[in-house]
Amino acid sequence: MKKQPEMTDKTRQTFINVFCDLYSQKPIEKISIQEIANKSGYNRSTFYQYFTDIYALLDYVEESVLKSIQEEMASRELSTHTFQDALQCLENTEEISVFKALLGDYGSVHFIERLKREIPFERLIVDLPTNDILAPYLIEFYISTLISLFRLWIRNGKDLSSEELVKLIDSLFANGIKPYHILIKGKS
């Protein structure tokens, strides 16, 4: 008898949700398949019907996120505010719990580097001389800063609206941190 696709997808998604919840709390080396199966309400053999091991599950989650972001970015005509477009793509792709896990304290640097390589962030940077010797450094600074601020925003439970985050990032890139240092100093 063949399983219904809805049940198959639901079971797979349950494993993913439980894994992401655990991965946001502890390193992958400390997560067992038995623990995922127990918390999912399934047995280990059911887990193995979907994934060969915990690293296959991680790969599946990473690939799904990257594919979803790429599809979202490819499907939209980027506006003049390209970072806001990218932020909306990140917000729209998966549940925030997936990003909390992949970009959290126990997430892998490997995923962040893949995110930098595979997502066309260079589309976000306008008027940057690409033939200049400093260009790779400027691009790395820009992209790393964006990802770090996105990670912090997710970790802080999206305490700013996406518009406020974009405004802050634009201001930081345009004016640096000094105006905020003065603002914070004035409050003390």
Side-chain angles (χ1 to χ4, degrees), residues 62-117:
E62 288 181 357
E63 289 298 324
S64 296
V65 167
L66 291 171
K67 181 180 176 198
S68 188
I69 293 170
Q70 289 167 339
E71 287 172 358
E72 180 76 24
M73 287 186 82
S75 72
R76 59 173 61 217
E77 186 69 35
L78 293 181
S79 69
T80 56
H81 214 299
T82 51
F83 174 68
Q84 190 163 3
D85 290 334
L87 180 62
Q88 287 172 344
C89 288
L90 291 172
E91 277 189 298
N92 294 340
T93 56
E94 293 284 324
E95 294 179 33
I96 288 301
S97 64
V98 174
F99 279 117
K100 272 187 171 175
L102 295 177
L103 298 175
D105 292 339
Y106 302 106
S108 89
V109 173
H110 170 74
F111 176 73
I112 293 171
E113 291 304 316
R114 283 187 67 198
L115 188 62
K116 288 179 189 178
R117 274 192 322 272

